[in-house]
Amino acid sequence: DDLIAKFKSFQKRNSSSSDAKETDTKSRGSLVATAKKYEAIPRPMFFTRLWALTHRNFLEILRDPGIFGVRLFMYTMLAVVIGLMWLNLGDKKDFESIGSRVSLLFYVAAFMVFMSVAVLPFFIWQRDIFIRERANHAYDVPEYVLAKFIVSIPGVFMLALFTSILVVFMANLNGFGIYLLDLFISLMVAEGFMCVMAVIVPHYIIGIALAAGVFGFFMLCQGFFVVQSDIPPWFIWAHYLAFHTYSFRVFMHNEFDPIDSFDTTMFPSGEAVLKFYDMDDVNVGRDLGILVAWLVFFQLL
């Protein structure tokens, strides 16, 4: 009887194992069928995916306005400080006002761009979402990058506009339109650079440190601390590579070129100041075009 009972138990276990294998086979077959079913669904067109991503990114900004709001507050307060520091500077034509103008323009071209490192943690936070959704074939890289670029334009333009209004009119500088355009493109280039940095670094602290080092090096070579003709030959490549150079050159030309005279014999005109800084050959359209080329390059990367 004991032997018969053990035999029946063995048969029961075999039957249960067969049922489990059959159930597992059916389950796997169902998953494969479901996967093939979703693969058969036609993928949305490029512009449909672009529109969906753009719409979602705008909604993220609206749902969490604090991220952009903090940046806007920071840029606005800094612009107010700059305007108060150099209040009505444009009305002065003495020798000291020349140095003050150059210092103001350098600070704007250098530090306003430098503050773009603040966006790096946000880019890295979104990187994990992008990797997961791309792995699921929700979209590809081109539409994601283009959507991010489109969404960034209004915000960056607002930063440039508020800053330009406060600085230009409080300090009474020349050429509001060129000033605004130069600052806007420079900020867009800086954000593009930070997007590239977010791709290659594992942690945002490392990215901020690397970006700060690059920006600091470019500041040294942009033509303020050492003019172009005095930069050592082993660093002159950085002068031409740095997008800070072209931003600063446009700011300088925009401010000093319209000034016909100063109350000093050393720099009798704005043209003399530009010649001293090796910027008497500035072509605004060409330098802005180089900035745009850098912007496109960073977006393509």
Side-chain angles (χ1 to χ4, degrees):
D1 293 341
D2 185 53
L3 183 61
I4 293 173
K6 289 182 178 180
F7 179 73
K8 288 182 177 180
S9 176
F10 175 74
Q11 284 183 320
K12 187 175 181 180
R13 283 199 303 270
N14 281 348
S15 176
S16 299
S17 178
S18 299
D19 292 342
K21 288 181 180 179
E22 184 179 354
T23 302
D24 186 56
T25 302
K26 289 181 179 179
S27 177
R28 283 193 299 237
S30 177
L31 289 174
V32 171
T34 302
K36 289 182 177 180
K37 177 182 176 182
Y38 280 107
E39 287 178 0
I41 299 176
R43 194 181 189 191
M45 299 293 290
F46 171 82
F47 288 104
T48 303
R49 301 195 302 269
L50 175 62
W51 167 254
L53 287 169
T54 304
H55 179 69
R56 187 180 73 174
N57 289 334
F58 270 121
L59 288 179
E60 287 179 353
I61 295 175
L62 294 176
R63 289 169 182 168
D64 192 8
I67 296 176
F68 174 73
V70 169
R71 292 190 68 199
L72 182 61
F73 176 79
M74 181 172 61
Y75 274 82
T76 301
M77 290 299 99
L78 185 61
V80 170
V81 172
I82 294 173
L84 292 174
M85 183 69 70
W86 287 287
L87 190 64
N88 296 324
L89 175 63
D91 297 335
K92 303 174 183 178
K93 295 296 180 67
D94 55 4
F95 178 80
E96 289 75 14
S97 70
I98 297 175
S100 297
R101 281 180 167 90
V102 177
S103 299
L104 185 158
L105 296 174
F106 167 77
Y107 187 85
V108 171
F111 196 72
M112 290 290 185
V113 169
F114 183 85
M115 289 199 301
S116 296
V117 300
V119 304
L120 184 61
F122 182 68
F123 288 156
I124 292 182
W125 172 69
Q126 289 190 324
R127 183 177 61 186
D128 294 335
I129 300 174
F130 164 74
I131 293 174
R132 183 176 65 249
E133 293 181 342
R134 183 169 180 260
N136 293 328
H137 303 287
Y139 48 77
D140 293 322
V141 176
E143 56 263 35
Y144 178 81
V145 173
L146 186 56
K148 294 290 292 183
F149 174 74
I150 293 173
V151 172
S152 69
I153 292 176
V156 175
F157 183 77
M158 285 184 63
L159 295 177
L161 179 62
F162 278 53
T163 303
S164 299
I165 290 174
L166 290 169
V167 173
V168 172
F169 289 105
M170 291 181 71
N172 197 19
L173 301 180
N174 294 317
F176 173 79
I178 297 297
Y179 183 101
L180 171 61
L181 183 61
D182 187 23
L183 181 59
F184 170 64
I185 298 176
S186 299
L187 292 179
M188 290 296 297
V189 174
E191 293 219 355
F193 177 80
M194 297 313 299
C195 287
V196 175
M197 194 64 64
V199 174
I200 63 178
V201 297
H203 196 275
Y204 73 89
I205 294 180
I206 299 175
I208 290 176
L210 289 176
V214 172
F215 284 171
F217 178 54
F218 285 170
M219 289 176 196
L220 288 175
C221 302
Q222 73 182 55
F224 173 73
F225 296 106
V226 182
V227 298
Q228 177 185 337
S229 57
D230 291 338
I231 297 177
W234 48 88
F235 281 146
I236 193 63
W237 60 269
H239 175 77
Y240 293 107
L241 184 66
F243 58 86
H244 296 65
T245 298
Y246 307 99
S247 176
F248 184 50
R249 282 165 57 89
V250 172
F251 278 131
M252 288 284 288
H253 183 272
N254 183 59
E255 175 62 26
F256 286 102
D257 188 64
I259 299 177
D260 296 326
S261 62
F262 282 109
D263 298 333
T264 172
T265 57
M266 182 176 292
F267 299 108
S269 66
E271 185 179 353
V273 177
L274 294 174
K275 187 174 182 179
F276 174 80
Y277 281 96
D278 289 342
M279 297 183 185
D280 51 329
D281 61 342
V282 172
N283 184 309
V284 173
R286 180 190 60 199
D287 287 354
L288 289 178
I290 293 174
L291 287 175
V292 172
W294 270 119
L295 173 60
V296 174
F297 174 73
F298 288 141
Q299 295 301 321
L300 291 177
L301 283 182

